[in-house]
Each structure stands twice: as structure tokens, then as C-alpha cells.
Amino acid sequence: WLIDVTADKLYYQHDRVLGGVKAFIDHNGRRVDRMKLSMESPTAASAEIMPVAGGRRMTVDVSNFGALLSQLAITEMLAGGHALFEGHFDDTQETSPFRGHLKLSPFTIQHAPGALLVARSLSIYGWLDAKNPASFDVTRFEMPVTFADGVMHIHDGRAGNEALGATLEGPVYLDRGTLDLSGTIVPVFAINEIPGKIPALGKLFSPEKGGGLLAVKFKLDGKIDTPNFSVSPLTIFLPGLLRNMF
């Protein structure tokens, strides 16, 4: 089947609308072979799927990722952020698994969880530069991902700002709307990782990639729209080798 639509307004719920929508979707009965989507509001965004050797290439570009997530009623936690998502479907396999990479320009986590704000305060840059005590600015965000059978896995994700760096990995169950992520928060990223580079002692202080002498393990799980954020306080002052035991 084939869809070719141009609409000034496209209602996907009785009170929710997308503006300036253009959509071309070519479906072969099993999967989308080609797709071109674009919209003008609530933010400029485009998505494309095109055939390439051995599969299909997908590119998604969203000018204001936070505005789109809010309009789609996914979450109100993010403000701003230019999102670029690129990847490839491997159609040589029956399930056409996807591998890609998400990059976000600076954005703000609004009403940030208390544990995250406490972690920010571990860095002198964090409490000197905190413009809004209840929010958290993220200046770098990169997430390599794979997707198959309704589950998106984050692999060695990186996020942070001048105060904190964080690693992130784990599954996001899109069909269920839940996630089960874990990672490490490292205050003052560059300075803190120096002990991990000391010959012979480096692995003791920082066995995890992106870790450091002062770090804390965390979990982000539950519903995607209202996730639970928790830290393991016993890991804050432990050398890296011992952090992995908690």
C-alpha cells in the first residue's frame, strides 16, 4: 500500500495536532520500503527511509526534540535540543534489526530528579553554574542504539556538561513504554578521570569506560514518561573496581 498526504493540520488525537505535514510512505505488506515525512509544527522535523545495499537507511532530524516529545505526550521533562538520528536496517536478516546513533545538541532536563541534582552538587562547577536549581542542562548527548522486536538497546551512551559526565546503557521497551537503564555519573569529567590513567592503578580506580575516582552508579527505570531515578550512595567514594560490586 501507498500513502501520499499533504495537510495543513493533522489531528492524531481530538486535541493534538501536527502542522504543515507532508508524508509519503511506501509499504510492501511486511515493512516500510521508502518513507519521507516532514512537519512544520510544533517544531520543524523530517524523517526519511531509503533503500540501500543490504537494507534501508533511516535519518530523522528534529529541530526541537523537547517540544516534539511534549506535543506527542511522551514526556514534559525535556526542553530544547536539536536531535539527529541516523542508522541502518539490516534486511539480510529476517527481523531487519536496526543499528544507529542519536546525537542531541544542548537541552535542559526540567524538574530534574533530586538524586541528579545532588550528584551535580558534587562538582564545584555544578553549584557555581546552576542557573535554575530545579533543572539540569545537558551540553553533550550521544547514544549508539540497536533495535529489534520492539526493544531499543542503548550501548555505551554518553551525556553530560561542564559539571558532570555520565555513561548510560540498557534496554528501552517501546511496546510496553518502560525502560531499565543504568550507568555511572562522574563529576568534573576530565579532571576526575586522571587517577584512572595512572599505570598499574588505573583499573583499580576506573575500570568502567568514562569513569573516574569520584563517581556514583545510578539506575533509570520504570515508565518512559515518569521514570524513576535512583543512585547507589555507597558507590560515591569507592574506587572503580569496588563500585561494580554495588
Side-chain angles (χ1 to χ4, degrees), residues 84-157:
L84 181 61
F85 189 37
E86 298 178 304
H88 178 267
F89 292 96
D90 182 1
D91 292 334
T92 64
Q93 300 187 45
E94 181 66 24
T95 58
S96 296
F98 176 83
R99 181 178 297 274
H101 190 268
L102 171 64
K103 292 185 69 174
L104 271 174
S105 70
F107 63 94
T108 299
I109 300 176
Q110 304 180 106
H111 313 296
L116 179 59
L117 300 178
V118 170
R120 175 180 64 186
S121 299
L122 291 174
S123 164
I124 187 172
Y125 297 113
W127 45 264
L128 286 179
D129 194 46
K131 302 177 183 65
N132 183 345
S135 65
F136 186 85
D137 294 328
V138 179
T139 57
R140 56 184 182 274
F141 185 98
E142 296 189 22
M143 297 287 160
V145 302
T146 56
F147 175 81
D149 301 322
V151 182
M152 181 177 73
H153 284 268
I154 297 174
H155 306 273
D156 193 27

Side-chain angles (χ1 to χ4, degrees), residues 41-234:
S41 66
T43 181
S46 64
E48 181 180 83
I49 295 177
M50 296 295 291
V52 294
R56 292 160 293 151
R57 183 189 71 249
M58 184 174 78
T59 304
V60 179
D61 192 318
V62 182
S63 295
N64 189 325
F65 193 53
L68 182 62
L69 293 180
S70 175
Q71 179 68 16
L72 296 177
I74 296 175
T75 181
E76 300 280 349
M77 289 185 66
L78 267 62
H82 182 175
L84 181 61
F85 189 37
E86 298 178 304
H88 178 267
F89 292 96
D90 182 1
D91 292 334
T92 64
Q93 300 187 45
E94 181 66 24
T95 58
S96 296
F98 176 83
R99 181 178 297 274
H101 190 268
L102 171 64
K103 292 185 69 174
L104 271 174
S105 70
F107 63 94
T108 299
I109 300 176
Q110 304 180 106
H111 313 296
L116 179 59
L117 300 178
V118 170
R120 175 180 64 186
S121 299
L122 291 174
S123 164
I124 187 172
Y125 297 113
W127 45 264
L128 286 179
D129 194 46
K131 302 177 183 65
N132 183 345
S135 65
F136 186 85
D137 294 328
V138 179
T139 57
R140 56 184 182 274
F141 185 98
E142 296 189 22
M143 297 287 160
V145 302
T146 56
F147 175 81
D149 301 322
V151 182
M152 181 177 73
H153 284 268
I154 297 174
H155 306 273
D156 193 27
R158 301 298 185 92
N161 57 22
E162 294 80 4
L164 294 176
T167 62
L168 185 67
E169 61 183 13
V172 179
Y173 301 97
L174 299 177
D175 291 346
R176 289 185 259 164
T178 63
L179 44 78
D180 186 14
L181 307 178
S182 61
T184 305
I185 298 173
V186 187
V188 197
F189 206 68
I191 298 174
N192 190 36
E193 68 179 4
I194 292 175
K197 296 180 179 179
I198 300 174
L201 296 179
K203 288 297 182 180
L204 171 64
F205 287 111
S206 180
E208 68 270 32
K209 187 176 180 180
L213 175 63
L214 181 64
V216 58
K217 305 286 279 187
F218 73 90
K219 283 190 66 66
L220 188 67
D221 55 17
K223 294 289 187 180
I224 293 177
D225 56 346
T226 55
N228 304 309
F229 181 88
S230 60
V231 300
S232 179
L234 292 177

